[in-house]
């Protein structure tokens, strides 16, 4: 009998442990993992969300001024997603095709719960929906994007490969984000295989996921390192022969141009490789690497949609330091990252965290359910250093020898830096980063045109068009 009682107690405690373990397991997922599991965009077979998609009229996506960019309509009893400015917004908005077991991307993925009406279930809002017979509608997502700027950027980039990012340096709001070549999300159903396997990689968001050598736009970072760690270098002059030899390797200026005797300002305006290589060698790899990391060049930029981590390997030797000083070598960055680098100069040394969602609103009452708040991301340089670089960037656009003259706008002071980044896969990439008005910056623009050649001739005019449209609208 005693053995029987002992066995019963063992079984009792065994099943009790299993029972409480199951409760703890379910409680953990209910409290901590519930939302992730429910709305996981990677799980295209998530039946709960597929059923939710069938019942709920997915909310609309609008630009910052209330212009509808994506909406759902009922066609023969089935829900159809319409993208009203398809290719121009394809990489920002993405697509929603979970119901076809093809998942979702972009804003459609990031704000899936909001668009399905799975947040903000305030009792009064629900009551209003019931009264108005609108209980089966998702919430609307308003973006920080300005449709006018987006369309201008897309038009200027048509026929080119590359990306454009425009943002407000004071808040981090992204005003435009374009990647080309693009695709039409309205035709995904009939062209899925062709689009997904395109040799042009049309689904890749080059603005946030494309990795490129920054070329001479990186000289902003080299200058920041000089002014922060070795400011006496700023007052030195240098005799430019059109090339410089480091460890037996000859590195030329663009076009082999010899500038003669020049100071730091002239070297920045002309984007002289020889001068900046010597500055980098005098500065040292540790200082340059430290400031690069402070700018986030070794990080993944935080954003609601997918971003790729920048690559900035440790600098190894004099030759590597020489190439890194002018934005060549092993480093690779995204166009969004270089927009943030320029925004630090525009915003007194502070980089604000970028974001795409302005607010989420109830479709009936217009009540705001969620709202983004500006926050600091990084603070790589002091205001004094930022102000000094700003003056150099103004000169690069407005000086008679400046490489960025094509970005000039009558009546508006534009600050900028060009780049012509060599790459092993063809002609150089054309870069331009800049902001305006320089006295009180309201917009920063980063442009890259793959294999475009000279940044001052190809990328700068695109940035000019976007800045002019934003400041003169």
């Amino acid at each position: 009998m005693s053995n029987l009682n002992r066995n019963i107690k063992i079984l009792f405690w065994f099943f009790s442990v299993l029972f409480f373990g199951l409760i703890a397991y379910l409680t953990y997922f209910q409290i901590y993992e519930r939302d992730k599991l429910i709305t996981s965009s990677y799980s295209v077979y998530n039946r709960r969300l597929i059923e939710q998609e069938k019942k709920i009229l997915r909310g609309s996506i609008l630009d910052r001024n209330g212009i509808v960019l994506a909406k759902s309509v009922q066609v023969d009893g089935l829900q159809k997603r319409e993208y009203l400015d398809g290719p121009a917004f394809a990489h920002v908005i993405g697509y929603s095709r979970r119901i076809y077991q093809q998942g979702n991307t972009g804003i459609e993925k990031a704000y899936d719960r909001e668009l399905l009406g799975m947040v903000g279930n305030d009792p009064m809002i629900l009551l209003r929906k019931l009264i108005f017979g609108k209980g089966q509608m998702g919430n609307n997502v308003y973006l920080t994007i300005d449709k006018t700027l987006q369309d201008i950027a897309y038009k200027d980039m048509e026929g080119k490969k590359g990306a454009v990012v425009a943002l407000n340096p004071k808040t981090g709001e992204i005003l435009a984000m374009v990647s080309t070549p693009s695709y039409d999300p309205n035709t995904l159903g009939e062209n899925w295989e062709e689009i997904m396997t395109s040799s042009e990689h049309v689904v890749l968001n080059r603005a946030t996921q494309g990795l490129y050598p920054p070329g001479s736009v990186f000289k902003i970072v080299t200058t920041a390192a000089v002014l922060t760690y070795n400011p006496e270098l700023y007052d030195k002059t240098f005799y430019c022969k059109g090339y410089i030899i480091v460890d037996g390797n000859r590195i030329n200026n663009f076009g082999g141009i010899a500038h003669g005797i020049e100071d730091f300002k002239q070297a920045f305006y002309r984007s002289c490789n020889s001068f900046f290589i010597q500055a980098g060698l005098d500065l040292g790899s540790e200082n340059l690497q430290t400031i690069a990391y402070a700018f986030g060049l070794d990080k993944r930029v935080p954003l609601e949609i997918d971003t790729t981590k920048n690559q900035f390997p440790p600098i190894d030797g004099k030759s590597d330091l020489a190439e890194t000083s002018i934005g060549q070598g092993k480093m690779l960055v995204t166009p969004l990252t270089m927009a943030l680098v320029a925004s630090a100069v525009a915003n007194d040394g502070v980089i604000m965290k970028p974001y795409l969602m302005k607010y989420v609103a109830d479709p009936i009452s217009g009540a705001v359910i969620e709202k983004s708040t500006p926050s600091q991301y990084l603070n790589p340089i002091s205001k004094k250093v930022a102000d000094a670089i700003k003056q150099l960037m103004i000169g690069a656009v407005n000086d008679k020898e400046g490489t960025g003259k094509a970005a000039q706008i009558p009546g508006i002071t534009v600050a900028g830096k060009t780049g012509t980044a060599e790459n092993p896969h063809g002609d150089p990439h054309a870069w331009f980063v800049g902001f305006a008005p320089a006295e009180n910056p309201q917009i920063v623009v980063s442009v890259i045109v793959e294999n475009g050649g000279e940044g001052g001739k190809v990328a700068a005019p695109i940035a000019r068009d976007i800045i002019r449209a934003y400041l003169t609208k």
Side-chain angles (χ1 to χ4, degrees):
M1 181 64 70
S2 62
N3 287 338
L4 178 62
N5 288 337
R6 184 172 62 83
N7 291 338
I8 290 173
K9 287 180 180 179
I10 290 172
L11 283 173
F12 171 78
W13 287 112
F14 175 75
F15 283 108
S16 294
V17 170
L18 289 179
F19 179 71
F20 285 109
L22 181 61
I23 290 176
Y25 179 79
L26 293 175
T27 300
Y28 171 78
F29 278 99
Q30 182 68 19
I31 295 175
Y32 296 104
E33 300 289 336
R34 174 178 177 272
D35 290 343
K36 185 194 296 185
L37 291 172
I38 288 174
T39 62
S40 172
S41 296
Y42 294 102
S43 178
V44 295
Y45 301 102
N46 190 327
R47 295 306 309 174
R48 178 186 176 98
L49 285 178
I50 290 174
E51 292 305 314
Q52 190 82 350
E53 291 267 19
K54 292 177 181 177
K55 293 187 297 182
I56 302 293
L57 187 67
R58 193 174 181 85
S60 297
I61 299 173
L62 306 92
D63 89 330
R64 66 186 297 113
N65 300 309
I67 300 172
V68 177
L69 306 173
K71 66 178 182 178
S72 288
V73 295
Q74 293 285 351
V75 179
D76 298 328
L78 297 175
Q79 187 175 158
K80 179 184 177 183
R81 197 69 168 160
E82 293 184 350
Y83 299 95
L84 282 72
D85 204 1
F89 282 86
H91 297 94
V92 174
I93 293 177
Y95 57 81
S96 177
R97 294 187 61 81
R98 183 190 293 105
I99 200 167
Y100 304 105
Q101 299 185 347
Q102 293 169 330
N104 51 12
T105 61
I107 291 296
E108 295 275 31
K109 169 184 171 182
Y111 293 98
D112 201 26
R113 296 174 67 239
E114 287 80 357
L115 292 164
L116 287 175
M118 298 175 72
V119 297
N121 291 323
D122 182 279
M124 294 306 296
I125 291 176
L126 291 175
L127 180 60
R128 280 194 293 266
K129 286 183 177 180
L130 289 172
I131 291 173
F132 288 100
K134 301 288 187 180
Q136 300 293 76
M137 293 178 64
N139 299 312
N140 294 335
V141 175
Y142 288 76
L143 304 182
T144 58
I145 298 285
D146 185 317
K147 182 180 183 299
T148 299
L149 293 190
Q150 188 82 359
D151 288 340
I152 290 171
Y154 183 73
K155 182 179 179 182
D156 280 3
M157 289 295 293
E158 273 194 300
K160 305 177 181 70
K161 286 184 182 179
V164 173
V165 177
L167 56 83
N168 183 334
K170 300 179 186 299
T171 64
E173 294 172 281
I174 293 179
L175 304 170
M177 179 180 283
V178 164
S179 175
T180 55
S182 187
Y183 66 97
D184 187 351
N186 293 296
T187 67
L188 275 172
E190 55 266 37
N191 299 317
W192 177 265
E193 194 66 27
E194 178 186 347
I195 290 172
M196 292 298 141
T197 61
S198 165
S199 61
E200 300 289 300
H201 306 291
V202 296
V203 295
L204 175 71
N205 185 349
R206 287 168 161 82
T208 63
Q209 296 174 296
L211 288 173
Y212 305 93
S216 290
V217 291
F218 182 80
K219 288 170 184 172
I220 295 171
V221 178
T222 305
T223 301
V226 166
L227 293 171
T228 301
Y229 299 116
N230 214 341
E232 63 271 16
L233 292 177
Y234 187 80
D235 298 320
K236 286 189 174 181
T237 57
F238 174 81
Y239 183 78
C240 169
K241 298 179 291 185
Y243 65 91
I244 188 170
I245 297 175
V246 181
D247 278 352
N249 297 317
R250 175 170 169 151
I251 306 174
N252 296 318
N253 288 348
F254 182 76
I257 298 172
H259 297 121
I261 296 176
E262 58 186 355
D263 58 20
F264 205 104
K265 288 183 179 180
Q266 292 170 317
F268 193 95
Y269 300 166
R270 299 163 174 170
S271 198
C272 177
N273 285 344
S274 300
F275 186 101
F276 273 87
I277 288 172
Q278 187 60 56
L281 294 173
D282 293 340
L283 182 66
S285 58
E286 184 177 348
N287 287 335
L288 185 58
Q289 191 163 286
T290 298
I291 204 77
Y293 289 170
F295 273 101
L297 300 190
D298 62 329
K299 297 179 176 64
R300 184 192 305 274
V301 176
L303 191 66
E304 299 100 314
I305 63 177
D306 292 339
T307 60
T308 299
K309 184 179 179 180
N310 297 297
Q311 298 178 15
F312 198 99
I315 299 172
D316 183 19
K318 288 181 67 176
S319 291
D320 193 14
L321 174 58
E323 291 190 337
T324 302
S325 300
I326 57 172
Q328 297 293 159
K330 295 176 287 188
M331 86 173 84
L332 296 170
V333 297
T334 66
L336 172 60
T337 298
M338 294 317 297
L340 296 180
V341 167
S343 76
V345 180
N347 193 41
D348 298 335
V350 175
I351 299 175
M352 301 299 287
K353 183 179 178 182
Y355 61 96
L356 284 160
M357 182 271 284
K358 194 170 181 66
Y359 62 91
V360 177
D362 172 73
I364 306 304
S365 66
V368 175
I369 297 168
E370 292 181 27
K371 186 177 182 179
S372 293
T373 303
S375 61
Q376 181 175 311
Y377 171 43
L378 299 170
N379 188 184
I381 52 177
S382 68
K383 182 181 184 301
K384 181 179 179 181
V385 170
D387 287 343
I389 299 174
K390 182 187 295 185
Q391 294 305 313
L392 292 173
M393 293 176 69
I394 290 172
V397 173
N398 295 282
D399 188 84
K400 63 180 181 179
E401 294 186 314
T403 58
K405 291 192 290 292
Q408 291 178 3
I409 303 171
I412 298 172
T413 306
V414 178
K417 182 71 190 78
T418 61
T420 305
E422 295 180 8
N423 76 98
H425 307 294
D427 293 333
H429 300 319
W431 277 97
F432 182 85
V433 297
F435 53 85
E439 303 81 8
N440 182 26
Q442 304 296 314
I443 183 172
V444 169
V445 180
S446 170
V447 178
I448 183 170
V449 178
E450 293 182 20
N451 308 121
E454 294 184 54
K457 292 181 179 179
V458 178
I462 296 172
R464 176 200 62 208
D465 290 349
I466 296 166
I467 291 170
R468 180 168 53 201
Y470 185 71
L471 296 180
T472 60
K473 63 183 178 181

